[in-house]
Amino acid sequence: MRPAPFKEKYEHSAPSGVSLVSSRHSSDEYSTEGETVVFGMNKEVLYKMPIFIGRRKVFLSPNGSVVVLDGSVYFGDGLLRTPDITKDEVVSSIYLNGKTWKDIHHATDLNDGKTIESNGCEFGGGWLSRKDYISDLKADWCRNVLIYKMNNGNGNDQEIELPPDHD
């Protein structure tokens, strides 16, 4: 399964007014090389990250210090890899002031250590519909957690702590 070409630039903003812009560096529409710049409420540069976010879902803390990127660069939060390709896939990454703070793995962090069990509905190249396993993700900045609504494994919502510095 081949992804669609990337746009040159992806932009996201939080209700507080902080925002980010992620740009790819190459004219190659499939390149994942680039830079992400996070801006404060007054449009000042807070920091830069040497990554291109692509189609990942973005959650920005109210002050911009925490960025959560969910899903894969190519397919966003729509697909997961089959366990024969990736045993414990990173489903989200948490950044604090531009540095990786924590990667969230499907088996280790969300599914009691169990790898994904294929439901038989695989897409070409070893992909599964993520909605069959994780139906939703929300960031609760007041409670300082990410909340994953799980559809497989124990079926319980899984909460992952966020960095404390995001007021």
Side-chain angles (χ1 to χ4, degrees):
M1 191 158 104
R2 184 175 176 151
F6 289 115
K7 296 186 288 186
E8 191 171 320
K9 181 168 52 171
Y10 290 84
E11 301 179 54
H12 298 275
S13 59
S16 65
V18 299
S19 61
L20 68 73
V21 175
S22 188
S23 305
R24 61 180 162 80
H25 285 174
S26 172
S27 60
D28 174 5
E29 295 177 324
Y30 292 97
S31 173
T32 59
E33 308 249 334
E35 180 179 70
T36 298
V37 182
V38 178
F39 298 93
M41 289 179 246
N42 298 318
K43 306 302 178 214
E44 74 281 12
V45 173
L46 297 178
Y47 53 88
K48 296 179 180 183
M49 301 165 49
I51 61 169
F52 176 61
I53 64 170
R55 295 187 183 92
R56 289 179 265 207
K57 190 172 183 181
V58 176
F59 298 88
L60 279 167
S61 66
N63 73 355
S65 65
V66 177
V67 175
V68 177
L69 299 179
D70 185 48
S72 75
V73 68
Y74 291 109
F75 298 111
D77 64 349
L79 299 173
L80 289 171
R81 297 300 277 176
T82 58
D84 56 319
I85 293 178
T86 305
K87 292 281 182 232
D88 196 7
E89 181 172 0
V90 172
V91 295
S92 306
S93 295
I94 302 170
Y95 297 86
L96 177 61
N97 295 315
K99 307 268 188 285
T100 302
W101 187 76
K102 182 176 185 174
D103 286 330
I104 310 302
H105 293 83
H106 184 272
T108 305
D109 299 307
L110 302 177
N111 202 32
D112 299 327
K114 299 177 197 133
T115 59
I116 294 171
E117 292 182 24
S118 175
N119 60 8
C121 297
E122 293 181 19
F123 299 102
W127 294 96
L128 300 167
S129 173
R130 181 170 150 159
K131 297 291 181 200
D132 292 340
Y133 303 89
I134 303 170
S135 64
D136 195 21
L137 171 61
K138 293 193 183 329
D140 185 333
W141 300 111
C142 295
R143 292 186 42 232
N144 202 43
V145 294
L146 290 174
I147 305 166
Y148 292 83
K149 292 198 84 48
M150 303 300 293
N151 287 336
N152 68 325
N154 61 22
N156 296 329
D157 291 355
Q158 298 294 317
E159 294 188 356
I160 301 293
E161 186 176 336
L162 287 163
D165 182 30
H166 60 73
D167 295 334

